[in-house]
């Protein structure tokens, strides 16, 4: 059983590393901030979770697995919020390319009423 866990651990580590590599390439190659933000969050989080699962399968101790679960939960909670904030700041600063947007929901929104 230990050999199977080690093989699964290696597979998870390689898959996570490849997803993290894809995220890094996307950050460098994509044309604007919004695309780069997407590349930095989606595959990076999945890659990190796969790496954490691989490390957990390799270590197999309760304290180590608890620490890895905390790291994973923290990343799942903070990465989407950080990406949302970066995207909003880039949009408000005009650092996006409107020609790449399929739907611009922020431009379509009605202006806020200051009397409310």
């Amino acid at each position: 059983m230990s050999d199977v866990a080690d093989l699964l651990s290696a597979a998870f580590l390689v898959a996570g590393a490849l997803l993290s590599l894809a995220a890094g390439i996307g950050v460098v190659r994509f044309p604007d901030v919004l695309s780069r933000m997407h590349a930095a969050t989606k595959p990076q989080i999945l890659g990190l979770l796969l790496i954490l699962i691989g490390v957990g399968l390799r270590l197999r101790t309760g304290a180590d697995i608890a620490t890895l679960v905390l790291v994973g939960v923290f990343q799942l909670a903070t990465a989407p919020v950080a990406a949302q904030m970066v995207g909003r700041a880039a949009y408000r600063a005009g650092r996006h390319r409107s020609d790449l947007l399929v739907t611009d929901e922020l431009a379509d929104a009605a202006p806020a009423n200051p009397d409310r």
Side-chain angles (χ1 to χ4, degrees), residues 46-71:
L46 182 58
L48 176 69
L49 291 176
L50 289 175
I51 288 172
L52 292 175
I53 291 169
V55 170
L57 286 172
R58 182 71 178 116
L59 296 178
R60 296 185 204 110
T61 62
D64 292 332
I65 291 175
T67 303
L68 295 173
V69 167
L70 286 175
V71 169

Side-chain angles (χ1 to χ4, degrees), residues 15 41 44 59 74 95:
T41 54
Q44 181 63 31
L59 296 178
F74 183 74
R95 307 292 275 177

